[in-house]
Amino acid sequence: LGDRPVLRLVTERDPGESRELPAHQLDGDGRITLAQARRLIDDLGRVLDREDHQLPGLGRLLATARLYFDSAAKDAERAKTLFVLLAEGLSNPALRDGVAALNARSAKSFEFSLARAKAAGEIRADVDVKVEAVRILATLRGAIGQWLVAPDAIDLPALRDAFIVSVRRSLVP
């Protein structure tokens, strides 16, 4: 983590056990509580919910994908915090359900857009919207995760644009 601030994630189950969590906002004593972690998860979910539901399916899907890239570029520290929380959900039972819910909510957002696009004939009829939604989310997170680790090695706007072109090519008849 270098010289970046580190937060201690303190769970309600065992206040003596902490996990390190990089973040751009520290509370008074340099810790983040489970409630704060859950608030971050909820905030990110609300961003997904605010995406314009009036856009056509494919337009909304591509706008949401752009949002993932652009949000990471705008606030890399918050993106790092999200990635630490996602990883933390693998081993911390207190966060597992919240992370699983965020994952499901994120995939559902893409699934909603894909279903609308499919119904409107904007994408191929043989697209499995559930599978494709998870694939898109996983690819986005993988790309952003790689950029967060080596931002000087990856041109994020170029990667975003290539991703959008690739998704369009893979879906449009």
Side-chain angles (χ1 to χ4, degrees):
L1 297 175
D3 60 357
R4 302 231 181 221
V6 174
L7 295 177
R8 297 274 181 211
L9 176 62
V10 180
T11 66
E12 294 165 348
R13 300 174 115 201
D14 184 2
E17 180 184 340
S18 65
R19 311 256 185 208
E20 293 185 348
L21 179 64
H24 63 289
Q25 292 182 326
L26 300 173
D27 68 4
D29 61 357
R31 298 186 313 159
I32 186 169
T33 64
L34 181 58
Q36 288 170 306
R38 287 182 176 152
R39 243 188 331 274
L40 175 63
I41 290 170
D42 289 343
D43 288 349
L44 293 165
R46 279 191 291 279
V47 167
L48 291 174
D49 291 344
R50 282 195 307 260
E51 280 301 288
D52 188 353
H53 290 277
Q54 302 307 312
L55 285 174
L58 186 59
R60 181 174 185 269
L61 176 111
L62 298 176
T64 303
R66 280 186 200 95
L67 174 70
Y68 270 77
F69 282 103
D70 295 344
S71 295
K74 182 178 178 182
D75 192 345
E77 289 303 313
R78 186 173 175 94
K80 287 178 189 176
T81 301
L82 169 63
F83 274 76
V84 171
L85 283 173
L86 292 172
E88 183 74 17
L90 296 171
S91 61
N92 186 332
L95 287 179
R96 187 172 295 128
D97 290 344
V99 169
L102 177 62
N103 289 340
R105 193 177 199 174
S106 298
K108 198 66 153 168
S109 175
F110 287 115
E111 186 181 330
F112 173 82
S113 297
L114 287 161
R116 286 187 66 179
K118 190 172 183 178
E122 295 177 310
I123 64 173
R124 294 187 336 270
D126 65 334
V127 171
D128 182 329
V129 297
K130 287 183 184 283
V131 170
E132 191 64 24
V134 172
R135 183 187 73 83
I136 289 169
L137 178 61
T139 305
L140 282 168
R141 287 191 178 160
I144 292 167
Q146 289 182 50
W147 173 76
L148 287 168
V149 170
D152 294 336
I154 296 173
D155 180 346
L156 195 60
L159 182 57
R160 176 202 60 214
D161 295 346
F163 178 80
I164 298 300
V165 168
S166 175
V167 167
R168 190 183 297 277
R169 284 184 186 156
S170 72
L171 297 174
V172 175

